[in-house]
Amino acid sequence: MPKDEQGIGASTKRREDIRFLTGDGNYTDDINLRGQAHVVFLRSQVAHGRLRGIDPAAAEAMPGVIRVFTAKDFESAGGLPCGWQVTDRHGQPMKEPKHPILAEGKVRHVGEPIAAVVADTLEQARDAAEAVIPDIEELPAVTNPKDAASDASLVHDEIGTNLCYDWGFVEDNKAKVDAAFEAADHVTTLELVNNRLVPNAMEPRVSIGDYSRGTGEHTLYTTSQNPHVIRLLMGAFVLGIPEHKLRVVAPDVGGGFGSKIFHYAEEAFCTFAAKAINRPVKWTCQRGESFVSDAHGRDHVTKIELALDKDGLFQAIRTDTYANMGAYLSTFAPSVPTWLHGTLMAGNYRTPLIYVNVKATFTNTVPVDAYRGAGRPEATYQLERVIDKAAREMGIDPIEIRRRNFVTEFPYATPVAVEYDTGDYHATMDKVLEIADAAGFEKRREASAKKGLLRGFGINAYIEACGIAPSNLVGQLGARAGLYESATVRVNATGGVVVMTGSHSHGQGHETTFAQVIADMIGIDADQVDVVHGDTANTPMGMGTYGSRSIAVGGSAMVRAAGKVIDKAKKIAAHLMECSPEDIELKDGKFSVAGTDKSVAWGDVTLAAYVPHNYPLEEMEPGLEETAFYDPANFTYPAGAYACEVEVDPETGKVTLCSFAAADDFGNVINPMIVDGQVHGGIGQGAGQALMEAAAYDATGQLVTGSYMDYTMPRADDLPYYAVDHSCQTPCTHNPLGVKGCGEAGAIASPPTIVNAVVDALQRGGHGHVTHIDMPLTPLRVWQAIHQR
């Protein structure tokens, strides 16, 4: 393939897909170690109860059982740590109860592990787990985050409340915001729920612990998005294992969507148990088990108010949110409804005053943490829904009211502490209206009406923050880890390049896009570049992949490391050609002296680096390998506009998604095909949230949507053709690639677009009383909204 079809901007096919499509992927469950045992966890069937005792005797006597573990075996271990501390509006730290590996004293949600049975075979472990008898005194359960704030049933008795924190931002603005509402010409109020979701990655979680008595080294194979972070959290805070004695390997991972960022009890257990029994210990999650053990997403109850002047210009925003933390604090849970949500409440708009209040509560449900978008979808949804409602109340076109309030000058400092460096929100709005054929909507609406269907057009503008940074700032905000990224670039003697990155690929296509960047920088074939990730033993310390940070942060570290390599290679080339390094140019895999015809090939210089016969070693050491760490100066800010059309059957309430258009500004784009795929997947997930998905609990804390029989996800025939465009590029100003990130945009922007379209269809169809319907917009909910005035 010609080099110009492999570098930055080329739609190169994903090289990793060859092994995935031919069955040669190496997932954690594919790994089987010699002599490994299997573990099955006894999980609570009760949402809330006092654990009075556990009788393992019958299980211990069963064939093949090696050992039954309970909380007593982990008395010397720490609880699972939380990676972000939030300080509340009164200056007090959040409540942070212990999160044990196995339940201690109480069970706090259905699915919490109580005991673990390790046996020779998986079948023996399953049989024995059914024989373990827990004695549980059932207690009243609370599942709704708003109810939990005042509920007398305490999830954690020791903290005396279900309130984790009461956060206000920006607290100094509160009085000014209240005054702006008093003076406003119009105030729109909307109460809504951002529905709880189950991530449902294609590959369930798996953990394998191994231990070598000879060296004292632990190895954990796990389905993780950030193996270095797991090593740090588990080693230092849970099991007390020095990092140099703990290796974490995350091989091929079949999707994560945030749910595989976090450190889970099963990882710590397998690592601990492998040493305890001196055998590898393997756990593979069953799908039904994942519904009650993987961290869930979203679950906010919000009241949002928008103050406007008589011309529809935004004067102030005020929000009150109850955010569900679940039974325990997951790794990054406290940051999601606060710093990843509150700081995005300005959206694409010039709103001078904003105040966000979030009350996070503990409930008897599975812990809640980041899920694709993490805080940004929640902010965008409430903002874009209240803007649509305000437009209808004031008789202003929904597109026009957005245009009147768009930010147009950059950089722009919002009232919620972030500064947008670049953007062109009018351009993306123009583009989405073009590719959605908004001008032809009325003709399509008339055609739908002839079939007895109501057709609606929904619009949305969004912005998100990616590449969470810089470390010193987020540290002040409560982050307990750095948020930099790392890369090592090693050039072999024959010119091949190996990139070792702290980022992790689990569907994003890093092995392709990272190779494209390096190939472009050097001017060599992308096939000469290998990308290594996922093993703490052979990659530099990095923070992993989440928040659309890989190319913006990990890619920037890689560019820095490659730049160091190229600088050294230029010095070698200069010595070979007897000129100054400042006169050396690198293009198309060849070093040349500016203004002359003298040149030397990339491979000749790399060979000279390892066979240093032609340059003085006292000036330069042999080899061609460099490491770089990159800590961003700011977030990146992808933005865009989305539009969709729906048909609603007023007789049944069924919603059909007819078309969907997305115009995104991702800055510079490395691989357009991969970016298209990321947007397609995000729209599919957003459509699932808008129309189908909901993790629902009953009053006793039982998850009533605990399988695919009850939890509905979109299938191919539920989704339309997508018109996707990312030609409106305003490059990021503070990273070397000018990129912004693209992995979450579709999931952030699509839910409000779809809900706006459904409400539009109903309003146009004579059902003006319908101003909002909570997600998911199932046929029943839509039908009820039509008929219940």
Side-chain angles (χ1 to χ4, degrees):
M1 183 184 295
K3 292 184 180 66
D4 61 358
E5 295 181 20
Q6 302 179 65
I8 293 175
S11 289
T12 305
K13 291 183 179 180
R14 296 184 1 148
R15 61 168 67 176
E16 47 269 73
D17 286 351
I18 296 173
R19 69 175 185 272
F20 297 148
L21 294 173
T22 57
D24 288 331
N26 183 37
Y27 297 91
T28 308
D29 193 54
D30 293 324
I31 299 171
N32 291 290
L33 305 180
R34 181 181 178 184
Q36 76 183 12
H38 296 264
V39 61
V40 168
F41 292 94
L42 173 68
R43 298 185 181 274
S44 177
Q45 301 298 309
V46 172
H48 192 201
R50 216 166 299 284
L51 186 57
R52 297 189 294 203
I54 300 172
D55 183 2
E60 289 172 333
M62 294 180 70
V65 173
I66 301 167
R67 184 168 168 180
V68 178
F69 291 83
T70 65
K72 291 182 179 179
D73 295 294
F74 293 91
E75 290 177 346
S76 62
L80 303 182
C82 180
W84 201 297
Q85 182 186 64
V86 166
T87 300
D88 73 11
R89 57 194 295 257
H90 308 294
Q92 298 300 309
M94 67 188 187
K95 302 293 190 299
E96 195 170 355
K98 183 180 180 181
H99 186 175
I101 296 172
L102 298 176
E104 295 179 358
K106 286 178 76 176
V107 291
R108 295 181 172 90
H109 70 87
V110 171
E112 180 172 6
I114 298 172
V117 178
V118 179
D120 291 328
T121 70
L122 179 59
E123 291 74 17
Q124 289 170 333
R126 283 176 179 162
D127 290 343
E130 293 180 0
V132 177
I133 302 173
D135 181 7
I136 299 174
E137 175 193 350
E138 191 164 358
L139 300 171
V142 58
T143 61
N144 182 283
K146 188 173 183 179
D147 294 343
S150 56
D151 200 289
S153 179
L154 297 180
V155 179
H156 296 275
D157 302 302
E158 66 273 20
I159 63 174
T161 178
N162 287 329
L163 187 66
C164 178
Y165 56 75
D166 179 359
W167 183 79
F169 189 71
V170 175
E171 196 64 29
D172 292 343
N173 283 349
K174 189 174 187 304
K176 296 177 183 177
V177 170
D178 292 343
F181 273 89
E182 289 294 326
D185 294 314
H186 183 87
V187 173
T188 294
T189 301
L190 180 62
E191 296 187 25
L192 51 83
V193 174
N194 204 294
N195 42 320
R196 177 184 279 244
L197 303 173
V198 178
N200 283 308
M202 186 176 292
E203 176 199 26
R205 290 190 297 116
V206 183
S207 293
I208 307 170
D210 193 17
Y211 179 70
S212 170
R213 284 190 175 179
T215 62
E217 294 179 353
H218 297 259
T219 300
L220 171 67
Y221 302 90
T222 188
T223 47
S224 175
Q225 299 177 215
N226 46 2
H228 284 279
V229 174
I230 301 305
R231 182 178 68 162
L232 174 64
L233 295 177
M234 185 176 72
F237 300 104
V238 183
L239 299 181
I241 303 171
E243 280 190 273
H244 68 286
K245 291 294 185 182
L246 176 58
R247 175 189 177 200
V248 177
V249 182
D252 290 329
V253 174
F257 312 117
S259 68
K260 294 174 183 172
I261 298 171
F262 325 120
H263 176 37
Y264 287 96
E266 295 87 357
E267 294 170 322
F269 176 85
C270 289
T271 305
F272 178 92
K275 180 179 180 181
I277 70 169
N278 195 32
R279 286 174 63 177
V281 176
K282 182 174 184 176
W283 171 73
T284 298
C285 189
Q286 302 302 300
R287 183 61 68 181
E289 193 178 14
S290 71
F291 271 83
V292 293
S293 64
D294 293 2
H296 291 179
R298 316 288 193 249
D299 205 351
H300 289 187
V301 177
T302 296
K303 176 183 177 182
I304 181 170
E305 299 169 284
L306 174 62
L308 307 94
D309 71 7
K310 60 183 176 56
D311 297 318
L313 298 180
F314 303 164
Q315 303 301 300
I317 292 171
R318 185 167 58 194
T319 76
D320 289 288
T321 292
Y322 289 86
N324 201 334
M325 295 288 99
Y328 299 101
L329 291 179
S330 181
T331 307
F332 292 114
S335 68
V336 174
T338 52
W339 299 111
L340 299 183
H341 157 247
T343 54
L344 270 295
M345 282 309 304
N348 308 58
Y349 310 105
R350 302 184 311 273
T351 308
L353 292 165
I354 298 174
Y355 179 73
V356 178
N357 177 245
V358 178
K359 296 178 178 67
T361 56
F362 294 106
T363 64
N364 297 116
T365 64
V366 175
V368 179
D369 209 319
Y371 173 68
R372 197 170 190 172
R376 284 72 55 90
E378 295 90 324
T380 300
Y381 181 67
Q382 57 186 280
L383 182 59
E384 290 299 306
R385 283 294 300 120
V386 79
I387 289 172
D388 239 48
K389 187 168 186 272
R392 297 184 190 283
E393 289 175 353
M394 298 187 71
I396 304 173
D397 179 79
I399 298 170
E400 173 59 25
I401 199 171
R402 288 172 168 84
R403 289 192 185 275
R404 291 183 191 180
N405 289 281
F406 275 158
V407 173
T408 56
E409 296 182 2
F410 297 87
Y412 175 77
T414 75
V416 279
V418 294
E419 182 175 280
Y420 307 156
D421 58 336
T422 61
D424 189 340
Y425 308 144
H426 283 289
T428 51
M429 182 64 77
D430 290 342
K431 177 58 69 173
V432 80
L433 294 176
E434 173 193 329
I435 62 178
D437 185 24
F441 170 72
E442 279 301 324
K443 185 176 181 180
R444 293 188 293 275
R445 187 175 75 86
E446 292 171 3
S448 296
K450 290 178 181 178
K451 298 184 291 183
L453 303 175
L454 310 179
R455 196 177 189 99
F457 185 87
I459 199 76
N460 162 78
Y462 81 93
I463 190 167
E464 62 163 323
C466 300
I468 305 171
S471 293
N472 63 345
L473 172 61
V474 296
Q476 295 172 38
L477 303 181
R480 290 167 170 167
L483 291 172
Y484 54 84
E485 199 45 82
S486 62
T488 296
V489 175
R490 175 184 299 159
V491 182
N492 299 317
T494 54
V497 181
V498 180
V499 177
M500 292 156 278
T501 174
S503 299
H504 186 277
S505 181
H506 43 278
Q508 293 84 356
H510 295 169
E511 294 174 35
T512 301
T513 54
F514 283 20
Q516 285 182 257
V517 172
I518 295 297
D520 196 85
M521 291 180 70
I522 299 171
I524 59 176
D525 194 292
D527 291 339
Q528 289 183 257
V529 184
D530 276 345
V531 178
V532 176
H533 60 90
D535 188 341
T536 61
N538 57 26
T539 57
M541 173 71 176
M543 293 296 106
T545 294
Y546 45 85
S548 301
R549 72 191 302 269
S550 294
I551 194 65
V553 188
S556 295
M558 178 183 65
V559 167
R560 282 192 172 183
K564 292 181 182 180
V565 165
I566 291 170
D567 288 344
K568 182 176 179 179
K570 284 183 176 180
K571 293 178 182 177
I572 298 172
H575 190 82
L576 295 176
M577 292 187 285
E578 300 179 336
C579 67
S580 169
E582 288 73 25
D583 295 330
I584 295 293
E585 297 176 343
L586 173 61
K587 185 178 180 181
D588 295 331
K590 183 169 65 176
F591 295 93
S592 58
V593 181
T596 76
D597 59 358
K598 296 176 67 175
S599 65
V600 60
W602 167 258
D604 293 334
V605 172
T606 62
L607 182 62
Y610 289 93
V611 186
H613 295 164
N614 296 310
Y615 62 89
L617 290 178
E618 64 271 14
E619 295 180 11
M620 212 178 337
E621 62 188 35
L624 208 51
E625 178 177 326
E626 298 288 348
T627 296
F629 289 78
Y630 178 75
D631 199 344
N634 190 5
F635 293 96
T636 63
Y637 298 98
Y642 283 22
C644 80
E645 292 184 23
V646 301
E647 285 183 333
V648 179
D649 185 342
E651 297 298 318
T652 66
K654 184 180 187 299
V655 176
T656 299
L657 195 53
C658 302
S659 63
F660 203 104
D664 297 289
D665 174 7
F666 294 136
N668 293 333
V669 172
I670 305 300
N671 186 311
M673 180 188 68
I674 287 178
V675 169
D676 284 351
Q678 289 288 313
V679 175
H680 290 179
I683 294 171
Q685 283 183 286
Q689 177 174 14
L691 298 175
M692 305 167 191
E693 297 184 47
Y697 284 88
D698 69 13
T700 67
Q702 294 294 326
L703 181 64
V704 296
T705 54
S707 76
Y708 290 148
M709 296 295 290
D710 311 293
Y711 187 95
T712 308
M713 293 195 299
R715 297 178 294 186
D717 60 355
D718 295 312
L719 302 171
Y721 170 78
Y722 303 135
V724 173
D725 181 273
H726 33 77
S727 63
C728 303
Q729 298 177 5
T730 61
C732 175
T733 59
H734 53 78
N735 68 54
L737 288 167
V739 294
K740 295 185 177 183
C742 67
E744 297 163 300
I748 291 169
S750 52
T753 310
I754 294 169
V755 176
N756 286 345
V758 172
V759 172
D760 181 68
L762 298 181
Q763 295 247 334
R764 291 175 185 270
H767 304 287
H769 64 284
V770 181
T771 59
H772 178 70
I773 307 172
D774 274 329
M775 299 185 292
L777 275 63
T778 60
L780 175 61
R781 285 189 175 183
V782 174
W783 187 90
Q784 287 176 332
I786 291 172
H787 294 281
Q788 294 176 359
R789 293 181 179 271

